[in-house]
Amino acid sequence: LIGSYIGKVSIETILSMVFGASVAMSISGAYGAFVSERSERKRHIKELEKALFSDLDGTVVERANLTAVIIVMVVDSISPLIFSFITIFPLVLSKLNFLSLQVAFNLSFIIGVVSLFVLGLLLGKIAHEHVLVHGLFMVLSGLFVAVIMFLLA
């Protein structure tokens, strides 16, 4: 987003790039979550079967594990799409002449930074660690990626 603004890239190109990257992240996230979650849960079921001296094929436990895998896969798939579209929504409004290009870029940048910070807060809370440190780390990570992308462009 920052590199596109500095490089004077058209809104259409930015929207296309973000859409393409979001779809790619969505597919990758779904596949990665499916493979890793399914493997982890299969291992857990085998350990449970060994401890119970019983086969769990076709049981509620097996169906619950499959349901959990699907839920994780869907969340990992949809999340990048939702957050990408929320971040670039001001640019869509600019394309429709509801916002100036400068205001749209500023809002998109702020939305992106706030989203990263909130994600960091949540990860810090989950880890039972200092939430503000996690929030700042996520923002710095996002800015680091922006600098790298700018240098590669």
Side-chain angles (χ1 to χ4, degrees):
L1 190 63
I2 295 170
S4 300
Y5 180 71
I6 293 171
K8 305 291 186 205
V9 176
S10 72
I11 290 181
E12 294 85 2
T13 302
I14 294 168
L15 295 175
S16 294
M17 290 184 328
V18 170
F19 180 73
S22 299
V23 169
M25 286 189 311
S26 180
I27 293 168
S28 174
Y31 181 74
F34 176 77
V35 170
S36 61
E37 273 299 311
R38 185 171 159 260
S39 298
E40 184 68 27
R41 291 186 181 271
K42 276 192 167 198
R43 181 184 60 80
H44 178 71
I45 286 180
K46 287 181 183 192
E47 289 172 357
L48 196 55
E49 286 175 336
K50 187 176 177 181
L52 296 173
F53 302 107
S54 180
D55 183 12
L56 296 175
D57 285 346
T59 65
V60 173
V61 173
E62 184 185 49
R63 288 190 300 273
N65 275 296
L66 179 60
T67 301
V69 167
I70 291 170
I71 289 171
V72 169
M73 182 181 77
V74 168
V75 168
D76 277 11
S77 177
I78 292 174
S79 297
L81 291 173
I82 291 171
F83 285 106
S84 294
F85 292 141
I86 289 171
T87 302
I88 65 164
F89 187 69
L91 297 175
V92 173
L93 292 177
S94 177
K95 174 71 178 147
L96 298 171
N97 295 317
F98 287 112
L99 293 175
S100 72
L101 186 57
Q102 181 66 47
V103 169
F105 269 108
N106 290 342
L107 285 174
S108 288
F109 179 77
I110 291 167
I111 290 168
V113 169
V114 169
S115 296
L116 287 173
F117 186 73
V118 170
L119 178 60
L121 294 178
L122 292 172
L123 292 174
K125 186 173 174 83
I126 290 168
H128 298 291
E129 295 178 351
H130 198 280
V131 293
L132 291 177
V133 171
H134 276 268
L136 290 173
F137 180 75
M138 286 299 291
V139 170
L140 290 174
S141 297
L143 293 175
F144 177 73
V145 169
V147 168
I148 296 298
M149 295 306 293
F150 176 73
L151 293 174
L152 291 175

